Amino acid sequence: MGRKKKEIRLKEPVRIREKKIAGGNISLYLDIYQKGLRKKETLKLYLVPEINAATKLQNANTRKLAEQIKAQRILDIQREGLVDWDKVKKSRMTLTKWMDDFVKYNAELSESSMKTKRNTHARIDQYLLHIGKPEFLLKDVDKEFCKGFITFLKTCTYNDGKKQLSTTTCRMFVNYFGSSLAKAVRDGLIEQNPFLLLEAKEKPQKRVAEREFLTIEEIKKVMNTPCRYELVKKAFLFSCFTGLRYSDMKALNWSEIHKAADGKTEYIDHIQVKTRDRVTIPLSEETKKWMPKREEGIDNIFHNLTITSTTVEVVLKEWMEAAGITKHITYHCSRHTAATMLLTLGASIYVVSKILGHKSIKMTEIYAKIVDKKKLETVNLVNGMFDQIPVIQ
């Protein structure tokens, strides 16, 4: 009796594997083996608990898609000998995964910038859920997708649906999304940034904000008005004379105060929290009046200002009202005050630009226009005052 031949089974180069994850779902991935090399490719496909006919159909479609991808990978191996793993990775990169990477990129940015990055990521994820495509691929982001995202930002709400995003916030999210796509182009993941295909009118328009500031007379008023928290008063007036943002004022250390070559003049040498750019600001005698006394062993100048930034704004509002100031003054208005005051007193726009740490003098020109407008308004105050006086020919 002849011996039965043993059946020879060829090992599949690509297999679909399953991995249990949180929530009872199952993640599908490919286990690829060829010429001694073994790779795993995450498919971003998930099986859900089959609790009804709809979930069974969903899982069947998911498995079908996984089989199609598997078949394509086998063809890739047969045609090319080896899979181009970089190409596979690029083709399967989801937008959500790319935004994860983008948020981690350049993580030395200020906390506020990192927060905006994270919020942009959250809004994109929210939009993907809104359109029912949470696994949307990065390579499929096109002009229409960008237009849809912008429209979504204009209509979506927060704070339990009570508020809509402001135009400024929408612009920030769009700008960060555009920056993420620009980096994807540089990294070779996509060929072009689809935001560049949009016309200016299709993007959120920049609103020219009214920059509130205190005049010199108003500064004198608040100086002579008591404040519930004296340190808030000192910090605000200190920023009025230096142009430092609240974040920089909070981070300012005594070790950043230096003497100039003449041995008398003191100046601040500080790396800005927001931009990471260095600013050098001379300290006038008036500025020094509003600095707290130095405490032994403590480097941070305003370390005793322990109340929250929200509370600071509340205290400022009370203080301004007590001084008879009806303008809406926030802490950042101290920076506007510094710029307009210096320009009013005759400082050059270049010097003011350097003190404020502006990257472009165009940013400082906004304050110059404000000062020019105020000068014109002042000159026009005489109009009509002398109508009854005869003009001698």
Side-chain angles (χ1 to χ4, degrees):
M1 192 173 177
R3 184 180 296 178
K4 187 177 180 180
K5 292 184 179 179
K6 186 177 180 181
E7 183 180 356
I8 299 176
R9 297 182 63 186
L10 296 176
K11 187 175 180 180
E12 283 188 303
V14 183
R15 291 188 178 185
I16 298 173
R17 304 290 190 186
E18 299 182 359
K19 180 180 179 182
K20 291 184 179 180
I21 57 177
N25 294 341
I26 296 175
S27 173
L28 300 181
Y29 67 93
L30 295 183
D31 189 0
I32 306 175
Y33 186 85
Q34 198 227 357
K35 292 185 178 181
L37 297 176
R38 188 173 187 177
K39 296 279 185 178
K40 291 183 179 180
E41 180 186 343
T42 302
L43 296 178
K44 296 288 184 179
L45 297 176
Y46 306 95
L47 302 178
V48 298
E50 296 184 351
I51 57 177
N52 51 39
T55 52
K56 288 181 180 180
L57 179 60
Q58 178 181 333
N59 285 345
N61 289 333
T62 301
R63 288 186 183 279
K64 184 177 180 181
L65 179 57
E67 289 291 346
Q68 290 173 352
I69 298 173
K70 170 188 171 182
Q72 183 60 51
R73 296 295 176 267
I74 293 174
L75 286 175
D76 291 338
I77 291 173
Q78 292 172 345
R79 290 173 181 171
E80 301 177 18
L82 282 174
V83 176
D84 186 342
W85 296 106
D86 287 337
K87 185 177 180 181
V88 169
K89 183 179 178 181
K90 290 176 183 179
S91 67
R92 299 299 303 167
M93 172 77 76
T94 65
L95 178 56
T96 293
K97 176 60 173 66
W98 170 245
M99 290 306 299
D100 286 340
D101 295 344
F102 181 69
V103 168
K104 296 172 186 175
Y105 169 71
N106 204 14
E108 69 275 8
L109 292 174
S110 68
E111 178 54 33
S112 62
S113 296
M114 291 302 298
K115 183 178 179 181
T116 304
K117 262 190 173 186
R118 292 191 293 270
N119 286 341
T120 303
H121 188 350
R123 290 301 177 189
I124 290 171
D125 287 347
Q126 189 179 353
Y127 176 59
L128 292 175
L129 289 175
H130 175 73
I131 62 176
K133 298 180 179 179
E135 300 300 327
F136 198 83
L137 297 179
L138 172 64
K139 67 181 180 64
D140 291 334
V141 176
D142 57 12
K143 178 180 177 181
E144 293 306 313
F145 181 92
C146 295
K147 288 171 66 175
F149 178 62
I150 293 171
T151 301
F152 171 75
L153 290 178
K154 292 177 180 178
T155 57
C156 70
T157 59
Y158 67 101
N159 194 15
D160 295 329
K162 296 177 182 177
K163 292 185 177 181
Q164 284 190 317
L165 299 177
S166 68
T167 302
T168 301
T169 302
C170 289
R171 284 187 69 254
M172 284 196 300
F173 289 159
V174 168
N175 288 343
Y176 269 95
F177 187 25
S179 296
S180 75
L181 296 179
K183 186 177 188 306
V185 173
R186 295 195 299 272
D187 289 358
L189 296 172
I190 56 177
E191 293 184 2
Q192 67 174 347
N193 185 346
F195 268 109
L196 299 179
L197 303 177
L198 297 179
E199 297 181 20
K201 63 181 180 181
E202 294 177 305
K203 302 175 185 177
Q205 298 301 303
K206 184 175 182 179
R207 183 175 61 88
V208 179
E210 185 70 25
R211 283 173 163 77
E212 288 284 21
F213 62 93
L214 296 177
T215 65
I216 293 175
E217 289 304 315
E218 288 170 335
I219 293 174
K220 291 178 181 178
K221 280 185 180 181
V222 296
M223 280 182 176
N224 293 321
T225 303
C227 180
R228 176 156 59 102
Y229 283 97
E230 188 62 23
L231 197 55
V232 170
K233 177 178 179 177
K234 286 186 174 182
F236 181 81
L237 290 171
F238 180 79
S239 290
C240 283
F241 289 108
T242 60
L244 287 177
R245 299 178 183 87
Y246 182 72
S247 57
D248 292 308
M249 184 277 302
K250 286 275 289 182
L252 189 64
N253 295 321
W254 289 105
S255 56
E256 294 175 299
I257 309 296
H258 306 280
K259 283 190 180 294
D262 61 11
K264 297 179 181 179
T265 307
E266 291 185 296
Y267 64 93
I268 296 170
D269 184 16
H270 175 72
I271 302 295
Q272 297 175 99
V273 174
K274 181 179 180 180
T275 64
R276 309 309 300 166
D277 291 327
R278 183 183 298 275
V279 287
T280 303
I281 307 169
L283 290 174
S284 65
E285 293 303 316
E286 186 62 47
T287 307
K288 294 177 188 177
K289 291 179 184 178
W290 305 103
M291 297 175 71
K293 290 184 179 179
R294 186 166 188 172
E295 298 180 42
E296 187 176 349
I298 299 177
D299 194 26
N300 185 251
I301 296 177
F302 287 92
H303 71 96
N304 281 325
L305 190 58
T306 55
I307 58 177
T308 65
S309 57
T310 302
T311 304
V312 167
E313 299 296 347
V314 172
V315 173
L316 280 177
K317 185 180 180 207
E318 294 175 357
W319 180 35
M320 293 299 148
E321 288 176 351
I325 307 297
T326 58
K327 298 175 180 177
H328 178 60
I329 299 296
T330 63
Y331 195 96
H332 198 70
C333 294
S334 62
R335 185 168 168 83
H336 303 327
T337 299
T340 52
M341 180 168 57
L342 289 171
L343 289 168
T344 300
L345 294 174
S348 75
I349 191 170
Y350 176 79
V351 169
V352 175
S353 177
K354 291 300 179 184
I355 288 175
L356 294 179
H358 286 164
K359 290 186 177 181
S360 169
I361 203 166
K362 288 183 179 179
M363 300 172 71
T364 321
E365 286 175 349
I366 296 172
Y367 298 106
K369 290 176 182 177
I370 292 172
V371 172
D372 288 342
K373 181 181 177 183
K374 292 298 178 184
K375 287 179 180 177
L376 182 60
E377 289 174 357
T378 302
V379 169
N380 286 336
L381 289 176
V382 303
N383 291 342
M385 293 179 62
F386 306 100
D387 288 347
Q388 304 304 318
I389 308 296
V391 178
I392 301 175
Q393 300 294 334

mmCIF file of all heavy atoms in Angstrom, residues 210 214 277 317 348-349 351 379:
data_model
loop_
_atom_site.group_PDB
_atom_site.id
_atom_site.type_symbol
_atom_site.label_atom_id
_atom_site.label_comp_id
_atom_site.label_asym_id
_atom_site.label_seq_id
_atom_site.Cartn_x
_atom_site.Cartn_y
_atom_site.Cartn_z
ATOM 1 N N GLU A 210 -10.107 96.856 17.534
ATOM 2 C CA GLU A 210 -9.851 98.154 18.152
ATOM 3 C C GLU A 210 -8.871 97.935 19.298
ATOM 4 O O GLU A 210 -9.142 97.166 20.222
ATOM 5 C CB GLU A 210 -11.166 98.744 18.679
ATOM 6 C CG GLU A 210 -11.033 100.139 19.237
ATOM 7 C CD GLU A 210 -10.773 101.199 18.168
ATOM 8 O OE1 GLU A 210 -11.154 100.974 17.003
ATOM 9 O OE2 GLU A 210 -10.187 102.234 18.508
ATOM 10 N N LEU A 214 -4.521 103.257 27.314
ATOM 11 C CA LEU A 214 -4.680 104.395 28.216
ATOM 12 C C LEU A 214 -3.834 105.561 27.719
ATOM 13 O O LEU A 214 -2.686 105.371 27.314
ATOM 14 C CB LEU A 214 -4.251 104.019 29.636
ATOM 15 C CG LEU A 214 -5.067 102.937 30.351
ATOM 16 C CD1 LEU A 214 -4.460 102.648 31.718
ATOM 17 C CD2 LEU A 214 -6.518 103.332 30.472
ATOM 18 N N ASP A 277 11.619 84.899 21.240
ATOM 19 C CA ASP A 277 12.580 85.891 20.759
ATOM 20 C C ASP A 277 13.055 86.758 21.923
ATOM 21 O O ASP A 277 12.312 87.006 22.880
ATOM 22 C CB ASP A 277 11.948 86.792 19.692
ATOM 23 C CG ASP A 277 11.664 86.036 18.402
ATOM 24 O OD1 ASP A 277 12.455 85.123 18.088
ATOM 25 O OD2 ASP A 277 10.674 86.346 17.735
ATOM 26 N N LYS A 317 -10.822 95.513 36.018
ATOM 27 C CA LYS A 317 -12.098 96.148 35.684
ATOM 28 C C LYS A 317 -12.581 97.028 36.842
ATOM 29 O O LYS A 317 -13.009 98.176 36.644
ATOM 30 C CB LYS A 317 -13.140 95.073 35.361
ATOM 31 C CG LYS A 317 -14.473 95.649 34.890
ATOM 32 C CD LYS A 317 -15.469 94.548 34.584
ATOM 33 C CE LYS A 317 -16.760 95.189 34.115
ATOM 34 N NZ LYS A 317 -17.925 94.423 34.355
ATOM 35 N N SER A 348 11.006 106.666 17.916
ATOM 36 C CA SER A 348 10.915 106.202 16.526
ATOM 37 C C SER A 348 10.187 104.871 16.477
ATOM 38 O O SER A 348 10.228 104.080 17.422
ATOM 39 C CB SER A 348 12.313 106.052 15.915
ATOM 40 O OG SER A 348 12.954 104.889 16.417
ATOM 41 N N ILE A 349 9.534 104.626 15.352
ATOM 42 C CA ILE A 349 8.769 103.399 15.200
ATOM 43 C C ILE A 349 9.695 102.179 15.250
ATOM 44 O O ILE A 349 9.307 101.108 15.739
ATOM 45 C CB ILE A 349 7.960 103.436 13.879
ATOM 46 C CG1 ILE A 349 6.949 102.281 13.861
ATOM 47 C CG2 ILE A 349 8.862 103.377 12.661
ATOM 48 C CD1 ILE A 349 5.961 102.379 12.727
ATOM 49 N N VAL A 351 12.484 101.869 17.114
ATOM 50 C CA VAL A 351 12.827 101.619 18.517
ATOM 51 C C VAL A 351 11.661 100.937 19.231
ATOM 52 O O VAL A 351 11.846 99.968 19.974
ATOM 53 C CB VAL A 351 13.200 102.935 19.235
ATOM 54 C CG1 VAL A 351 13.300 102.722 20.740
ATOM 55 C CG2 VAL A 351 14.518 103.475 18.691
ATOM 56 N N VAL A 379 -6.078 118.036 16.848
ATOM 57 C CA VAL A 379 -5.981 119.267 16.059
ATOM 58 C C VAL A 379 -7.376 119.763 15.670
ATOM 59 O O VAL A 379 -7.655 120.965 15.694
ATOM 60 C CB VAL A 379 -5.122 119.022 14.789
ATOM 61 C CG1 VAL A 379 -5.234 120.199 13.835
ATOM 62 C CG2 VAL A 379 -3.667 118.796 15.172
#
